[in-house]
């Protein structure tokens, strides 16, 4: 047996992959290679390596999933460490590809955080979430915070922050829902959920009339709680510590669990936790 005969040529590689995809048993592939002169152990290794490389290079089959849609997010190709967003420098602290999660530093100034809290406080009510059956809203035991919504562009401060977010995430300002403020007291939490609207629920078509699906979420931390309150991504064991002025962004290209964007707000153990959430839709939110 010469060295040349023990080499995986492109033709042999293709043949091994074709046999595997046709459901051929590995021992039959090895047997055929032995018949054409391969040593058994070398043939097994060659077959395994070929199939391992092939699987690594093949994207996962998403043909059963709903189609992917464009999502917000800054261009990260040049691996920047600071992004100038409408004249305000924002630091890139952490990025993850799957799920797509980005942690920003210094998105809001201390004065902006205090300003948002002061504007929101008199209007806080026990939080409601969307009622899946009707598309209306309901008080939900899974979310034990107090909350309120600003209208888009309601104050100069809101406009400044919305323009910064639109520039940072390269997504039209008009596609954003009004900013939501949440205050969690000790013991309060937001149990893990997805922010997209589940297509199986009967109320979803009505919700989608106002700008399509949600495709991204930006949670901005308005204070640093004394204890607890991390934003968690249980599918991947990721926890983001809430730090005043920082923010966590995540996007989801389809309304599906395969995005791994299940996330929650862990219970606050001491002090309060305040956040501002901006949800981004596919189209103008009306
Ligand atoms: O406050 C949070 O950390 C949090 C967690 C999960 C906020 C949201 N979801 C949200 O506003 O959607
Ligand atoms: Zn959420």
């Amino acid at each position: 047996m010469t060295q040349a005969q023990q080499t995986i040529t492109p033709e042999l590689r293709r043949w091994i992959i074709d046999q595997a995809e046709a459901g051929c048993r590995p021992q039959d592939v090895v047997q055929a290679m032995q018949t054409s002169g391969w040593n058994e152990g070398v043939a097994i290794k060659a077959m395994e390596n070929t199939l391992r490389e092939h699987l690594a290079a093949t994207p996962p089959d998403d043909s059963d999933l709903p189609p992917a849609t464009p999502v917000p997010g800054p261009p990260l190709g040049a691996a920047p460490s600071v992004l100038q967003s409408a004249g305000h420098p924002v630091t890139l602290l952490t990025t993850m590809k799957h799920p797509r999660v980005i942690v920003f530093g210094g998105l809001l100034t201390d004065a902006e955080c205090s300003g948002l809290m002061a504007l929101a406080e008199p209007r806080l009510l026990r939080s409601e979430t969307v009622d899946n059956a009707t598309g209306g809203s309901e008080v939900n035991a899974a979310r034990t915070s107090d909350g309120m919504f600003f209208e888009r562009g309601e104050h100069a401060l809101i406009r400044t922050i919305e323009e910064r977010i639109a520039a940072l995430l390269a997504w039209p300002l008009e596609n954003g829902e009004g900013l939501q403020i949440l205050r969690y007291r000790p013991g309060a939490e937001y149990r893990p959920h997805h922010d997209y609207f589940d297509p199986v629920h009967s109320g979803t078509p009505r919700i989608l009339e106002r700008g399509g699906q949600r495709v991204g979420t930006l949670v901005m931390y308005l204070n640093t709680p004394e204890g607890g309150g991390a934003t968690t991504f249980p599918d991947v064991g990721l926890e983001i510590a809430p730090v005043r002025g920082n923010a966590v962004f995540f996007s989801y290209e389809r309304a599906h669990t395969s995005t791994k964007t299940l996330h929650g707000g862990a219970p606050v153990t001491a002090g309060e936790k305040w956040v501002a959430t901006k949800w981004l839709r596919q189209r103008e939110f009306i």
Side-chain angles (χ1 to χ4, degrees):
M1 166 88 23
T2 66
Q3 184 59 38
Q5 284 170 291
Q6 301 273 301
T7 306
I8 312 178
T9 60
E11 293 74 26
L12 176 58
R13 197 175 165 276
R14 188 65 255 166
W15 179 82
I16 291 174
I17 294 164
D18 288 345
Q19 300 310 302
E21 286 179 348
C24 220
R25 297 185 315 165
Q27 58 266 46
D28 293 338
V29 174
V30 171
Q31 181 62 58
M33 289 171 75
Q34 282 182 271
T35 305
S36 67
W38 282 69
N39 165 286
E40 184 183 12
V42 179
I44 290 171
K45 278 215 167 59
M47 181 188 66
E48 286 177 350
N49 286 342
T50 299
L51 294 178
R52 195 178 300 117
E53 281 168 23
H54 175 65
L55 285 175
T58 310
D61 180 13
D62 57 6
S63 54
D64 294 338
L65 299 176
T69 168
V71 293
L76 297 178
S81 53
V82 178
L83 294 161
Q84 288 298 332
S85 305
H88 180 93
V90 178
T91 313
L92 272 170
L93 296 179
T94 303
T95 68
M96 191 184 232
K97 282 209 172 95
H98 196 66
R100 166 49 92 196
V101 177
I102 304 176
V103 183
F104 296 113
L107 175 54
L108 300 178
T109 66
D110 283 353
E112 288 166 341
C113 291
S114 303
L116 284 177
M117 291 160 77
L119 286 172
E121 175 139 42
R123 291 161 59 181
L124 289 175
L125 294 172
R126 175 75 196 274
S127 284
E128 296 184 332
T129 47
V130 172
D131 181 333
N132 289 319
T134 65
S137 56
E138 58 174 5
V139 170
N140 187 335
R143 188 193 210 182
T144 46
S145 52
D146 303 315
M148 57 80 65
F149 276 93
F150 287 108
E151 289 290 320
R152 213 170 46 219
E154 185 181 323
H155 292 268
L157 173 60
I158 305 284
R159 282 196 291 279
T160 301
I161 293 169
E162 288 175 336
E163 279 163 17
R164 187 177 305 156
I165 293 170
L168 178 67
L169 301 177
W171 204 248
L173 188 152
E174 295 72 27
N175 294 20
E177 297 181 27
L179 207 56
Q180 182 200 232
I181 307 293
L182 290 180
R183 176 185 61 192
Y184 302 77
R185 292 225 156 94
E189 65 179 312
Y190 199 167
R191 298 213 195 112
H193 59 275
H194 294 95
D195 281 353
Y196 55 73
F197 302 107
D198 194 329
V200 305
H201 292 308
S202 55
T204 295
R206 227 191 91 201
I207 298 168
L208 300 188
E209 284 169 16
R210 299 184 69 190
Q213 263 293 357
R214 286 179 176 163
V215 285
T217 304
L218 180 72
V219 179
M220 295 166 277
Y221 304 109
L222 304 182
N223 77 327
T224 305
E226 280 164 51
T231 304
T232 63
F233 290 80
D235 287 345
V236 289
L238 178 64
E239 295 199 357
I240 315 294
V243 174
R244 185 177 220 194
N246 289 2
V248 58
F249 167 72
F250 50 98
S251 62
Y252 21 101
E253 70 281 3
R254 44 172 70 89
H256 196 271
T257 55
S258 62
T259 56
K260 299 191 179 184
T261 53
L262 184 71
H263 66 287
V268 173
T269 55
E272 292 183 347
K273 172 189 173 191
W274 287 71
V275 300
T277 302
K278 173 65 87 176
W279 286 294
L280 303 163
R281 298 288 190 109
Q282 290 176 296
R283 298 183 289 281
E284 180 177 6
F285 179 74
I286 39 171

